[in-house]
Amino acid sequence: MAPSFKVMSLTDAAAARIKGIMADAERPIAGLRVGVKNGGCAGMSYTMEYAEDRKPGEDVVEDKGVRVFIDPKAVLFLLGTEMDFQTTKLASQFVFNNPNQTSACGCGESVAITPADPASLTGAHA
């Protein structure tokens, strides 16, 4: 069996924040679901929601004690992405350091992302 390629990774800060969110949830949560959707001034935006279980076709990333479910439509847009959590004087937010992102709008809520080439994954190692 070939080694699997990890779609995305988490920083320590992101993992800690997700653990905190899950601990405060009103119902049992299996992890966080991450995806992308069309919209915004740059074309796409990231989505996040509680995940009670794995949906068919989803990739599952387990990193630093956190489980992240990746929407199958988002995999090629998220390959190689590092999810971080940053706190500044003005905001606390999750930040996606995505090598496939080609631009972002001024508000930081919308991005342009080019899908990764699936052929580039041949022989990839985790």
Side-chain angles (χ1 to χ4, degrees):
M1 184 171 167
S4 62
F5 183 81
K6 190 184 290 188
V7 176
M8 63 184 292
S9 61
L10 304 172
T11 64
D12 290 339
R17 181 63 182 138
I18 293 169
K19 287 177 186 176
I21 289 169
M22 289 176 58
D24 291 340
E26 295 178 5
R27 61 187 192 274
I29 303 300
L32 182 72
R33 179 167 290 110
V34 175
V36 295
K37 67 177 181 178
N38 291 331
C41 49
M44 300 187 95
S45 60
Y46 297 104
T47 63
M48 292 183 294
E49 64 184 16
Y50 291 135
E52 294 179 11
D53 55 20
R54 182 181 186 179
K55 291 183 179 178
E58 286 185 327
D59 279 30
V60 178
V61 173
E62 296 200 30
D63 193 14
K64 298 176 178 64
V66 174
R67 185 175 295 139
V68 178
F69 301 93
I70 310 295
D71 182 331
K73 295 176 291 213
V75 169
L76 292 180
F77 293 104
L78 294 174
L79 280 174
T81 296
E82 178 188 63
M83 185 176 174
D84 193 11
F85 184 76
Q86 298 177 354
T87 301
T88 66
K89 289 182 180 180
L90 300 176
S92 295
Q93 63 186 354
F94 286 103
V95 175
F96 293 86
N97 299 313
N98 186 339
N100 307 302
Q101 183 174 313
T102 55
S103 67
C105 68
C107 69
E109 295 294 320
S110 180
V111 294
I113 308 171
T114 302
D117 179 4
S120 69
L121 300 179
T122 306
H125 298 285

